[in-house]
Amino acid sequence: MAKTPKTPVPRGKTLRSQLWFDNPENPGMTALYLERYLNFGLTSKELRSGKPIIGIAQTGSDLSPCNRHHLELAHRVREGIRTAGGIAVEFPCHPIQETGKRPTAALDRNLAYLGLVEVLYGYPLDGVVLTTGCDKTTPACLMAAATVNLPAIVLSGGPMLNGWWKGERCGSGMAVWKAREELAAGRIDDQEFLEIASASAPSAGHCNTMGTASTMNALAEALGMSLPGCAAIPAPYRERGQIAYETGVRAVEIVHEDLKPSDILTRKAFENAIVANSAIGGSTNAPIHINAIARHVGVKLDIEDWEKFGYDVPLLVNMQPAGKYLGEEYFRAGGLPAVMHELLKAKRIHGDALTINGKTMGENVKRTKSQDADVIKPYDKPMKKQAGFLVLKGNLFDSAIMKTSVISEDFRKRYLSNAKDKNAFEGRAVVFDGPEDYHHRIDDPSLKIDENTMLFVRGVGAIGYPGSAEVVNMQPPAALIKKGITSLPCIGDGRQSGTSGSPSILNASPEAAAGGGLALLKTGDRVRIDLNKGTVDILISKAELDRRGAALQKHGGYHYPASQTPWQEIQRGMVDQFADGMVLKPAVKYQRVAQTRGVPRDNH
């Protein structure tokens, strides 16, 4: 619960917003800044009262249906801000909708980040409530808050209510991947496919599975940037409006306390997030976004840390795609606080990490036991004993990750259970250049795809796509699906949806478009994957690999589609690879800019 509101900051302590609205050293500029902010009803007395001005970074819009209910939640945030003695100022953020933006919402994460940095730094704000939800809105907001370093707090929008289809739970995203198999097998038609997809999204909110949206909002809480219990509350529940109010109250308090993102986003916080991600069965997109936040706040975090701190963490949350249940059961079982309680008891997280309510993580979760042991398991009776990511490398890439919590028994039996070569397998590669090539040729019998084939897709990374595509979870040809083979080993330099249950090897860095080894792979090559050694290699000689590299360079390198917009070209020219957070390389040197870069110059 929020604390009792404090009195406004004394006149002797200048708020940042007073440099705009109450600057006795420059009355002419004060008048200019004030006059337009009065024309919709605010008063000069309010703006010059010494009350903190709290921004509400609004990510909800008609273009962002997963976050649209933030338009209503903002009213409760405003009431909380007003109750605590602050002034609320709401402003729009660049829309990001995972299922709406083409070619990919990932293209817009860095664009939204840039826009929010400029707002937080250049406008008269003392603190901000970050409204998050759909996948990329959460990292975009946190990256900007980390860069500017004004007092900031996250309010997630929450998942949709459970979807149901013919008496079974129907999880968002995951239902689509399963329905595609049914369609390919001829067991449903196009109309039923649409009805299944629609059934998985029954209300306002983001994905009700443990996809990237639920993952990133849980990790915002694990980092300590939102109030305890915030992430799991379903969007339509009354508790969502209640915590919106409490978040507004707390937003004012953190300004008085000068509690900033840099105080919360420490190395310990990031290690807690990695451990939490494994325990909840979190998305393969998490390392990209969490590493990006770390880079913008100046905390060293490597892709290898995800295996070092997270691989041997058990899977505790029985939620799709790694388990059975959906968001409503997860919330009722206790949400992230119950998960962190188990991890704290097992001494897997840093209990002394500070959080946004002014208490430590240990203080917040020491009594938050699971209310349903079938949904949130005890640490010593998990769904899987090792549920984190493996970080793989070899002559195809310097790093890629594999999500182990979704390795099915069928997949393990077929590919990882050879008594003479356990946890390793070799196969013939079939290579696709982008998703269009895959969809065009996957059912071509001349490719001779069988159960021993590995499917590769390239040209789908941050540069090549552009922005990176969620296409690595490729389904087998329809002929194999009809035989009951519903998954093949999939490898690529792109991503996959966090709602996918595929144990793909993905997020390969560097990508083909940046000179990665995937650019040299040919259909028919033999590839060996060894999970014991953490390697993925083309089984050809170094001399042959060098010859292919020289030939590719002679022809101008790996070719990918031309940019279609100015932003695509701009991002392609400065974006980093997945392992390093897919950040804009020139941006990471700008840290704590509210403290280190001085006050922005006057505008007249």
Side-chain angles (χ1 to χ4, degrees), residues 479-546:
L480 283 185
I481 292 175
K482 289 174 182 177
K483 294 179 181 179
I485 299 171
T486 59
S487 63
L488 293 174
C490 296
I491 302 96
D493 59 7
R495 302 174 296 111
Q496 72 183 27
S497 170
T499 65
S500 171
S502 169
S504 306
I505 296 171
L506 66 168
N507 300 4
S509 301
E511 62 184 293
L518 281 173
L520 309 180
L521 186 66
K522 295 181 179 180
T523 292
D525 284 339
R526 297 285 297 178
V527 173
R528 176 173 173 81
I529 297 173
D530 190 328
L531 301 186
N532 301 308
K533 297 179 179 178
T535 56
V536 180
D537 291 295
I538 321 174
L539 298 180
I540 60 176
S541 67
K542 186 177 185 303
E544 171 61 12
L545 200 63
D546 291 343

Side-chain angles (χ1 to χ4, degrees), residues 168-484:
E168 299 289 333
R169 288 178 184 83
C170 186
S172 49
M174 191 174 181
V176 173
W177 315 132
K178 298 302 292 183
R180 282 180 178 176
E181 293 176 8
E182 295 295 294
L183 185 66
R187 292 188 286 267
I188 63 173
D189 58 19
D190 292 355
Q191 181 59 35
E192 189 167 0
F193 189 130
L194 178 61
E195 290 170 358
I196 292 170
S198 299
S200 72
S203 75
H206 59 65
C207 285
N208 49 32
T209 46
M210 189 55 74
T212 305
S214 287
T215 297
M216 288 310 302
N217 287 286
L219 297 191
E221 187 176 325
L223 285 168
M225 288 297 294
S226 60
L227 294 178
C230 179
I233 302 169
Y237 279 26
R238 66 184 181 186
E239 290 91 343
R240 178 56 62 193
Q242 290 166 349
I243 205 162
Y245 172 85
E246 292 170 5
T247 299
V249 170
R250 185 62 187 152
V252 177
E253 295 174 358
I254 61 176
V255 171
H256 291 300
E257 296 168 14
D258 197 29
L259 184 60
K260 301 180 294 296
S262 60
D263 301 316
I264 306 293
L265 298 173
T266 62
R267 172 73 188 196
K268 288 182 178 180
F270 285 104
E271 290 179 9
N272 282 353
I274 290 173
V275 172
N277 188 76
S278 298
I280 65 177
S283 168
T284 51
N285 287 305
I288 300 171
H289 300 319
I290 293 297
N291 288 10
I293 297 164
R295 291 193 71 186
H296 283 298
V297 81
V299 170
K300 181 174 173 54
L301 195 71
D302 299 320
I303 191 65
E304 289 79 11
D305 287 328
W306 287 81
E307 181 174 330
K308 179 180 179 181
F309 294 98
Y311 172 61
D312 67 346
V313 174
L315 177 63
L316 303 183
V317 176
N318 185 6
M319 187 172 172
Q320 297 181 24
K324 173 183 177 181
Y325 296 106
L326 294 172
E328 289 189 82
E329 290 92 355
Y330 176 54
F331 167 66
R332 288 197 291 268
L336 187 77
V339 178
M340 299 300 272
H341 174 82
E342 291 295 322
L343 296 172
L344 181 71
K345 284 198 306 179
K347 299 181 180 179
R348 294 306 303 263
I349 59 171
H350 301 286
D352 59 345
L354 183 64
T355 73
I356 201 67
N357 70 348
K359 298 180 181 180
T360 65
M361 181 62 71
E363 289 172 323
N364 287 338
V365 305
K366 62 184 176 181
R367 294 187 179 88
T368 56
K369 297 180 181 180
S370 171
Q371 301 302 304
D372 188 335
D374 193 38
V375 180
I376 299 177
K377 306 282 188 178
Y379 186 89
D380 58 357
K381 296 179 181 178
M383 293 183 66
K384 293 187 178 181
K385 290 184 178 180
Q386 295 175 314
F389 300 141
L390 287 173
V391 179
L392 308 173
K393 59 185 177 180
N395 60 15
L396 281 170
F397 37 72
D398 294 340
S399 73
I401 63 171
M402 182 180 188
K403 182 178 179 179
T404 63
S405 64
V406 292
I407 298 176
S408 67
E409 287 306 310
D410 179 67
F411 190 93
R412 185 175 296 280
K413 182 178 179 180
R414 185 178 294 123
Y415 300 111
L416 300 174
S417 299
N418 184 343
K420 297 180 180 179
D421 200 14
K422 201 168 181 65
N423 290 323
F425 57 99
E426 296 180 10
R428 171 179 166 271
V430 171
V431 185
F432 300 102
D433 289 289
E436 297 84 1
D437 185 31
Y438 159 76
H439 288 296
H440 179 65
R441 295 196 296 132
I442 185 59
D443 290 310
D444 185 346
S446 70
L447 292 178
K448 299 179 180 178
I449 297 173
D450 60 21
E451 62 269 26
N452 298 312
T453 301
M454 298 183 192
L455 304 181
F456 287 81
V457 63
R458 64 190 177 195
V460 290
I463 296 172
Y465 195 64
S468 76
E470 293 190 333
V471 295
V472 181
N473 53 321
M474 297 168 283
Q475 72 179 29
L480 283 185
I481 292 175
K482 289 174 182 177
K483 294 179 181 179

